[in-house]
Amino acid sequence: MALVKSGIGAVFWPRDAAKSNELQRVATEETPHGIPLLVGLDVIHGHYTIFPTPIAQGSSFDPSVARTDAQISAGEARSGGVNWTFSPMVDVSRDPRWGRVVEGFGEDPYLNAQMGVAKVRGYQGSALHESTSLLACAKHFVAYGQAEGGRDYNTVDLSEQRLRNLYFEPFKSMVDEGVATVMASFNTVSGRPAHANHYLLTDILKSEWGHIGFVVGDAEGIPNLIAHGVASDLQDALKQAFRAGLDMDMGGYVVDVNGSMAVAESDIDGDRVNDAVRRILRLKFALGLFDNPYVQVGDAATEPTALTRRAAHDAAVRSIVLLKNDGTLPLSRTLSKVLLVGPYADSTDHLGAWTQSFAAPAASLAQVLKERLQHSQLTVMEGAVFQGSNSSLQTQACDAAYEHDCVIVAVGEPSKLTGEASSRSDLRLPGDQEALILAIAQTGVPFVVVMSNGRPLVISDWADHAPALLEVWHLGTEAAPAIVDVLFGEANPGGKLPMTFPRSVGQVPIYYNHESTGRPARFSANVISDAPDVGLHGPDNTNDYFTSKYLDLELGPLFSFGHGLSYTHFSVGVPTSNVLCLTRDQLQRGMQFEIAIELKNTGKREGDEVLQLYVRDKVASLAQPMRRLRGFQRVPLKVGQTSVVTFTVGWQDLGFWSDSRPSRYQVEPGEFEVHVGSSLLNTQMLEVSVVL
Ligand code: BGC
């Protein structure tokens, strides 16, 4: 309150509509300028009704999931006085050790862009002054996901071409969509912290891309410049950030309760002040705060409704990925005795990172299964712990397994191990959960594994032993009913991985869109017991020695980006294109290749398939990614139904940014492979060419 009286322009939400109104009253009536407040909050994947975490939403490969989440969250939050959310996060991330991978849409720039744009549309609605709209915030600008070693806040050093080709795309797409605000990231980019980076905040974001909203610093990002060792004190830090193009500070003590700035007015450029003020005021006007800064206290949402729960439930189902299945799933409703084990069996920790204490809680799997399995006998046991080990729990669970027809093993990563400042060096299931899975496998009783986590995990030590495995991430308020729907076949899983699952932590970073090397590995998984591999238990690399790989590991990840199975089967036809060759000029003028492909549900259940389109530039002046995702469509098909799916490939999909300064986007003439299919490893190829 004291800060508001002192004239501060934005606050964190005071957590209730009446208190928000009171702050707005003081700002508009008791300050000399009378300007209403921006009221911000991290509404990341829900406010009261919690949707799946962003990485889970990435799994849906369905932008409507992200948009619905944002629409509902915006309505709930704005009704209580929030008018600005610090979301979406679109930091492309290739390193699952970094805890914040849960807050974004995975490793691919195109997927991040599509989901990020959908979020912005949902939050910002058709007009910001509507009572269901929030200002969105694209964060964290930029390349935060490349923190060294996956250690949060760590150094980022990268080339201009990687910056432009990998990290910029989602931000640029959201700026084009009119995202209201952008948040600077905590990291350095090639030595210069983003908060003091004129090139990024002004030259790129504002000048080159034309961002007309404002740029906010991340929490204490300005004083952090002192720790970065680029500013001598707070005054210096503030001056550098402001000059670089930062328009608003977040919680960095640059204004005290008397309204005094930590920097002398004479030290700040007047034009820069006007520019920042103009950007912020424009949005306050757009929100309609000058007409009415208040909300109707009686209309404020305080909990989910049946409708918002339904939407969260659908989103949760759509975000589940079936990683493997030997036919054990879906489970039959006629099983007479079901054992549910694991630390996630009776846990309600399904909301995931970045939810507030007032979020609507989730039920546990045990609670929902008890209600649903009225004709089966359900036994629930802990079996293992998240921290340390408890072998007696495991013994009890295994003894019990013999008495049951089927075991559901519910394991995972508690949400407190995910999110900001939650980097991990060991990516296995924590505690003694792996031992529990292996022990249950030994009983010979049919079982399935349900995994709730916030990042790709290393599961190589037990995945082969699991007959069926569901990746359910942290799915939000409606997690448990959604998981049960999928377990028993009331819903058919159709999600795909938005991030690669490594075989071992030593492989990290491992991602699908890697550049070709001069020495790609050719053989893999070729273990010959008497080969002179000095007991590394890896491939026989003596035939393929000087290539890019690990001596002691099979090639490739355990599960690739884009992988995900279904309870039904699909057949994918041969792609065709209306035209196989275009000139560069035609492309630049907007002509496109139209790729059509037939998709058929050949199985016995209705289900969704996500068709993915990848492009490869065969010869270019810079080494190109082996594949680049440039299109996806989630297609629902009834049993026996066929659909012809069309994609367009154009200027934006075939080019790349050069390494010259200034960098230039270019499409180089030549042959391009277009791969379309149901996963990265299962595609049909078509070649198109671009000529001068
Ligand atoms: C995070 C941001 C978040 C902010 C405000 C920071 O620590 O990096 O993502 O929006 O806190 O809560």
Side-chain angles (χ1 to χ4, degrees):
M1 183 62 83
L3 277 170
V4 173
K5 280 193 179 150
S6 81
I8 203 166
V11 292
F12 280 107
W13 189 49
R15 299 193 163 215
D16 120 2
K19 285 186 194 149
S20 278
N21 282 347
E22 179 55 10
L23 291 178
Q24 292 287 19
R25 192 196 61 73
V26 171
T28 50
E29 293 177 11
E30 293 185 17
T31 62
H33 55 57
I35 298 174
L37 295 165
L38 288 181
V39 181
L41 186 73
D42 292 277
V43 182
I44 305 294
H45 53 110
H47 190 59
Y48 295 108
T49 313
I50 301 302
F51 282 75
T53 54
I55 195 165
Q57 294 189 28
S59 280
S60 74
F61 275 70
D62 179 357
S64 79
V65 164
R67 187 169 180 165
T68 305
D69 155 23
Q71 269 164 345
I72 289 176
S73 309
E76 289 182 350
R78 183 89 187 245
S79 73
V82 180
N83 50 38
W84 179 23
T85 174
F86 308 126
S87 167
M89 177 181 119
V90 288
D91 295 315
V92 168
S93 35
R94 294 171 155 183
D95 192 333
R97 291 171 298 183
W98 191 50
R100 300 199 82 167
V101 303
V102 69
E103 296 177 54
F105 303 104
E107 74 191 32
D108 183 72
Y110 180 82
L111 182 59
N112 269 282
Q114 299 301 309
M115 301 302 276
V117 164
K119 278 270 216 183
V120 172
R121 288 189 183 144
Y123 288 132
Q124 298 193 170
S126 48
L128 288 172
H129 62 76
E130 281 173 3
S131 60
T132 50
S133 298
L134 298 178
L135 303 181
C137 181
K139 72 185 190 186
H140 306 83
F141 195 63
V142 66
Y144 186 24
Q146 192 165 296
E148 265 179 20
R151 290 183 293 278
D152 207 354
Y153 318 120
N154 220 276
T155 304
V156 171
D157 191 295
L158 78 177
S159 66
E160 182 74 9
Q161 72 95 357
R162 182 164 284 192
L163 188 60
R164 287 193 175 257
N165 288 311
L166 189 70
Y167 292 105
F168 278 178
E169 178 173 357
F171 287 96
K172 168 75 166 63
S173 303
M174 286 192 290
V175 169
D176 290 346
E177 185 57 34
V179 69
T181 70
V182 175
M183 188 185 291
S185 56
F186 286 128
N187 52 286
T188 52
V189 175
S190 308
R192 195 174 301 282
H195 280 67
N197 200 315
H198 190 276
Y199 175 65
L200 294 173
L201 304 188
T202 299
D203 299 347
I204 298 288
L205 188 59
K206 293 179 176 174
S207 305
E208 190 176 318
W209 296 353
H211 174 56
I212 57 169
F214 67 85
V215 181
V216 63
D218 201 346
E220 300 180 18
I222 293 183
N224 286 174
L225 294 176
I226 305 167
H228 269 301
V230 302
S232 49
D233 53 24
L234 191 57
Q235 285 81 351
D236 186 18
L238 179 56
K239 276 191 281 179
Q240 288 195 39
F242 202 57
R243 266 189 224 130
L246 205 84
D247 301 301
M248 187 188 282
D249 167 51
M250 187 195 284
Y253 318 109
V254 299
V255 183
D256 69 18
V257 285
N258 305 313
S260 313
M261 286 255 284
V263 68
E265 251 176 60
S266 55
D267 274 341
I268 307 183
D269 171 34
D271 289 345
R272 191 65 265 287
V273 175
N274 286 339
D275 173 49
V277 169
R278 200 175 295 120
R279 287 167 182 274
I280 295 165
L281 282 184
R282 189 185 67 78
L283 289 169
K284 292 189 177 185
F285 275 107
L287 283 165
L289 298 178
F290 283 94
D291 300 327
N292 178 14
Y294 305 114
V295 289
Q296 290 290 337
V297 174
D299 291 348
T302 50
E303 58 186 6
T305 64
L307 217 68
T308 64
R309 279 188 185 276
R310 185 73 240 158
H313 185 121
D314 286 351
V317 166
R318 293 175 86 73
S319 303
I320 294 175
V321 189
L322 179 61
L323 288 177
K324 65 175 288 202
N325 190 16
D326 67 352
T328 307
L329 280 175
L331 300 176
S332 158
R333 291 201 153 268
T334 59
L335 290 169
S336 63
K337 292 176 95 185
V338 175
L339 174 64
L340 173 66
V341 290
Y344 254 102
D346 207 11
S347 165
T348 55
D349 183 9
H350 290 288
L351 297 189
W354 265 130
T355 51
Q356 312 287 348
S357 55
F358 49 78
S364 72
L365 279 172
Q367 287 163 333
V368 175
L369 277 170
K370 259 177 219 149
E371 281 165 24
R372 298 266 194 103
L373 288 182
Q374 293 185 349
H375 307 294
S376 321
Q377 185 191 317
L378 176 73
T379 314
V380 181
M381 301 180 103
E382 204 177 344
V385 284
F386 286 133
Q387 259 189 328
S389 70
N390 186 334
S391 56
S392 64
L393 291 179
Q394 187 185 307
T395 311
Q396 287 160 18
C398 290
D399 290 347
Y402 293 109
E403 310 297 319
H404 291 78
D405 307 323
C406 171
V407 186
I408 302 170
V409 188
V411 291
E413 193 187 33
S415 50
K416 67 170 190 288
L417 289 188
T418 74
E420 186 173 352
S422 301
S423 301
R424 292 184 62 198
S425 64
D426 181 349
L427 293 179
R428 291 171 301 173
L429 288 167
D432 56 358
Q433 300 182 88
E434 285 197 350
L436 171 67
I437 298 170
L438 291 169
I440 294 287
Q442 288 234 312
T443 65
V445 180
F447 74 102
V448 301
V449 178
V450 176
M451 204 163 66
S452 306
N453 42 295
R455 50 159 65 82
L457 295 176
V458 170
I459 58 174
S460 311
D461 285 348
W462 56 266
D464 281 351
H465 301 274
L469 169 57
L470 280 179
E471 172 56 78
V472 303
W473 310 107
H474 293 123
L475 291 176
T477 301
E478 292 298 305
I483 296 168
V484 172
D485 280 357
V486 169
L487 280 172
F488 288 89
E490 270 156 44
N492 190 351
K496 305 278 181 179
L497 290 179
M499 229 180 140
T500 302
F501 268 54
R503 289 181 192 279
S504 128
V505 82
Q507 257 183 336
V508 170
I510 179 166
Y511 44 90
Y512 87 92
N513 46 356
H514 63 92
E515 288 160 16
S516 352
T517 69
R519 295 194 170 192
R522 290 161 297 183
F523 308 127
S524 170
N526 189 15
V527 185
I528 297 173
S529 57
D530 59 357
D533 68 0
V534 288
L536 289 170
H537 305 295
D540 169 18
N541 288 310
T542 51
N543 292 327
D544 188 32
Y545 203 70
F546 296 101
T547 63
S548 179
K549 63 183 178 307
Y550 296 100
L551 287 176
D552 53 352
L553 212 58
E554 288 182 31
L555 280 189
L558 191 66
F559 295 115
S560 313
F561 174 88
H563 169 77
L565 307 172
S566 167
Y567 294 156
T568 188
H569 299 282
F570 299 94
S571 73
V572 179
V574 178
T576 55
S577 178
N578 59 337
V579 28
L580 293 175
C581 179
L582 286 175
T583 67
R584 194 162 59 180
D585 280 356
Q586 286 173 320
L587 273 175
Q588 198 163 7
R589 278 187 274 114
M591 283 182 70
Q592 295 178 318
F593 296 95
E594 220 177 71
I595 316 277
I597 189 159
E598 205 175 82
L599 177 70
K600 180 169 186 186
N601 182 345
T602 54
K604 296 197 173 71
R605 282 170 186 267
E606 72 176 275
D608 293 358
E609 181 57 298
V610 177
L611 273 188
Q612 302 154 43
L613 180 142
Y614 298 91
V615 167
R616 178 171 173 231
D617 187 347
K618 286 172 72 176
V619 180
S621 56
L622 290 181
Q624 291 298 300
M626 297 300 291
R627 298 267 192 286
R628 282 198 303 136
L629 183 76
R630 297 312 301 174
F632 59 86
Q633 287 184 48
R634 184 164 175 152
V635 188
L637 287 179
K638 302 216 177 336
V639 176
Q641 192 186 349
T642 301
S643 170
V644 176
V645 183
T646 356
F647 294 92
T648 50
V649 172
W651 178 254
Q652 289 311 324
D653 307 307
L654 299 175
F656 59 92
W657 289 87
S658 68
D659 59 346
S660 57
R661 281 207 174 226
S663 179
R664 232 169 24 90
Y665 181 79
Q666 61 201 31
V667 174
E668 292 182 353
E671 305 286 311
F672 292 81
E673 291 175 0
V674 179
H675 298 259
V676 192
S678 52
S679 76
L680 188 65
L681 303 179
N682 179 17
T683 54
Q684 303 270 3
M685 203 256 284
L686 167 85
E687 277 198 356
V688 297
S689 47
V690 176
V691 292
L692 269 179

